[in-house]
Amino acid sequence: MPWGKGTVVKGARGYVFLAGNTGTAGNYDPSTGKGGAVGDAAAQWRSILMNIKSDLEELGSSLDHLIKITQYVNGPFPDGGALSSPNFRLDVMDEFFAEHCPKHYSYNNPPPSEVIGVAALAHPDLVIEIVAVAALPD
């Protein structure tokens, strides 16, 4: 799998460390577990990636300046690893980066990342959480 080995940052004036992003749609009701992206891993990935894009831009950075991402994928893990989970959606991430930041498309120059399988996230309706670190460009 083509993941970046590392990122060299030159000329940055600082860094942005985003908190873990989780994704649900606007009509999600956590008290009932209905609406939103419940049971839809692809929709949660899209929501998270758009949140990361927006957060980075709001804080003076962008997807172009991503240094590292960490993906926490909720099970099940039919073949034993996080990559085997139906909640791991590399296809959605590639589609997102192809559209919003081709620099980080997986076969081009993706930032270094980890994929960690977890038994649960903060709420049972969440299947993915992504943490991002980016540079603040000079």
Side-chain angles (χ1 to χ4, degrees):
M1 188 174 308
W3 296 108
K5 291 181 182 181
T7 302
V8 175
V9 178
K10 295 179 183 176
R13 60 184 166 93
Y15 301 93
V16 176
F17 296 87
L18 295 182
N21 267 275
T22 56
T24 55
N27 65 342
Y28 174 69
D29 181 354
S31 65
T32 64
K34 295 187 178 174
V38 174
D40 187 344
Q44 289 188 28
W45 277 80
R46 286 185 197 97
S47 175
I48 291 166
L49 293 168
M50 284 304 295
N51 288 345
I52 289 171
K53 179 181 184 297
S54 296
D55 291 348
L56 289 176
E57 290 169 355
E58 179 182 325
L59 295 168
S61 190
S62 71
L63 293 172
D64 282 328
H65 301 287
L66 271 176
I67 294 172
K68 180 176 176 270
I69 58 174
T70 302
Q71 304 153 65
Y72 297 92
V73 180
N74 196 8
F77 309 111
D79 294 328
L83 300 180
S84 72
S85 174
N87 297 323
F88 178 70
R89 297 297 304 268
L90 180 62
D91 61 322
V92 173
M93 192 163 62
D94 274 348
E95 176 185 287
F96 175 84
F97 281 110
E99 178 179 346
H100 296 282
C101 186
K103 170 184 175 182
H104 290 312
Y105 182 76
S106 72
Y107 291 97
N108 189 10
N109 184 32
S113 64
E114 296 90 18
V115 178
I116 301 168
V118 297
L121 292 166
H123 193 278
D125 295 331
L126 301 173
V127 299
I128 180 72
E129 182 169 339
I130 300 176
V131 176
V133 178
L136 283 170
D138 242 353

